PDB file of all heavy atoms in Angstrom:
ATOM      1  N   VAL A 221      28.550  22.449  30.962  1.00  0.00           N
ATOM      2  CA  VAL A 221      27.235  21.896  30.486  1.00  0.00           C
ATOM      3  C   VAL A 221      26.974  22.316  29.033  1.00  0.00           C
ATOM      4  O   VAL A 221      27.042  23.490  28.770  1.00  0.00           O
ATOM      5  CB  VAL A 221      26.055  22.289  31.387  1.00  0.00           C
ATOM      6  CG1 VAL A 221      24.766  21.754  30.822  1.00  0.00           C
ATOM      7  CG2 VAL A 221      26.306  21.742  32.814  1.00  0.00           C
ATOM      8  N   ALA A 222      26.718  21.352  28.151  1.00  0.00           N
ATOM      9  CA  ALA A 222      26.247  21.665  26.837  1.00  0.00           C
ATOM     10  C   ALA A 222      24.802  21.100  26.744  1.00  0.00           C
ATOM     11  O   ALA A 222      24.489  20.035  27.207  1.00  0.00           O
ATOM     12  CB  ALA A 222      27.089  21.004  25.769  1.00  0.00           C
ATOM     13  N   GLU A 223      23.961  21.987  26.217  1.00  0.00           N
ATOM     14  CA  GLU A 223      22.583  21.550  25.946  1.00  0.00           C
ATOM     15  C   GLU A 223      22.393  21.145  24.499  1.00  0.00           C
ATOM     16  O   GLU A 223      22.616  21.981  23.656  1.00  0.00           O
ATOM     17  CB  GLU A 223      21.536  22.713  26.182  1.00  0.00           C
ATOM     18  CG  GLU A 223      21.481  23.280  27.569  1.00  0.00           C
ATOM     19  CD  GLU A 223      20.549  24.492  27.649  1.00  0.00           C
ATOM     20  OE1 GLU A 223      19.303  24.289  27.555  1.00  0.00           O
ATOM     21  OE2 GLU A 223      21.048  25.627  27.723  1.00  0.00           O
ATOM     22  N   ASP A 224      22.134  19.800  24.265  1.00  0.00           N
ATOM     23  CA  ASP A 224      21.742  19.420  22.968  1.00  0.00           C
ATOM     24  C   ASP A 224      20.251  19.830  22.778  1.00  0.00           C
ATOM     25  O   ASP A 224      19.401  19.059  23.178  1.00  0.00           O
ATOM     26  CB  ASP A 224      21.974  17.973  22.748  1.00  0.00           C
ATOM     27  CG  ASP A 224      21.637  17.497  21.356  1.00  0.00           C
ATOM     28  OD1 ASP A 224      20.840  18.243  20.628  1.00  0.00           O
ATOM     29  OD2 ASP A 224      22.127  16.435  20.911  1.00  0.00           O
ATOM     30  N   ALA A 225      20.074  21.047  22.205  1.00  0.00           N
ATOM     31  CA  ALA A 225      18.726  21.579  22.033  1.00  0.00           C
ATOM     32  C   ALA A 225      18.304  21.431  20.617  1.00  0.00           C
ATOM     33  O   ALA A 225      17.497  22.182  20.108  1.00  0.00           O
ATOM     34  CB  ALA A 225      18.726  23.018  22.473  1.00  0.00           C
ATOM     35  N   ALA A 226      18.839  20.338  19.951  1.00  0.00           N
ATOM     36  CA  ALA A 226      18.500  20.134  18.534  1.00  0.00           C
ATOM     37  C   ALA A 226      16.970  20.180  18.246  1.00  0.00           C
ATOM     38  O   ALA A 226      16.542  20.633  17.163  1.00  0.00           O
ATOM     39  CB  ALA A 226      19.103  18.757  18.089  1.00  0.00           C
ATOM     40  N   GLN A 227      16.246  19.599  19.204  1.00  0.00           N
ATOM     41  CA  GLN A 227      14.772  19.481  19.002  1.00  0.00           C
ATOM     42  C   GLN A 227      14.004  20.601  19.765  1.00  0.00           C
ATOM     43  O   GLN A 227      12.794  20.567  19.787  1.00  0.00           O
ATOM     44  CB  GLN A 227      14.283  18.105  19.546  1.00  0.00           C
ATOM     45  CG  GLN A 227      15.069  16.998  18.821  1.00  0.00           C
ATOM     46  CD  GLN A 227      14.696  15.647  19.494  1.00  0.00           C
ATOM     47  OE1 GLN A 227      13.779  15.489  20.270  1.00  0.00           O
ATOM     48  NE2 GLN A 227      15.434  14.595  19.122  1.00  0.00           N
ATOM     49  N   ALA A 228      14.764  21.474  20.372  1.00  0.00           N
ATOM     50  CA  ALA A 228      14.150  22.318  21.420  1.00  0.00           C
ATOM     51  C   ALA A 228      13.991  23.847  21.038  1.00  0.00           C
ATOM     52  O   ALA A 228      13.900  24.666  21.969  1.00  0.00           O
ATOM     53  CB  ALA A 228      14.956  22.193  22.708  1.00  0.00           C
ATOM     54  N   ILE A 229      13.965  24.160  19.837  1.00  0.00           N
ATOM     55  CA  ILE A 229      13.730  25.566  19.512  1.00  0.00           C
ATOM     56  C   ILE A 229      12.468  26.070  20.099  1.00  0.00           C
ATOM     57  O   ILE A 229      11.445  25.404  20.076  1.00  0.00           O
ATOM     58  CB  ILE A 229      13.782  25.813  17.961  1.00  0.00           C
ATOM     59  CG1 ILE A 229      13.811  27.329  17.586  1.00  0.00           C
ATOM     60  CG2 ILE A 229      12.554  25.177  17.235  1.00  0.00           C
ATOM     61  CD1 ILE A 229      15.149  27.965  17.690  1.00  0.00           C
TER      62      ILE A 229
END
Side-chain angles (χ1 to χ4, degrees):
V221 175
E223 296 175 74
D224 181 339
Q227 305 173 9
I229 190 79

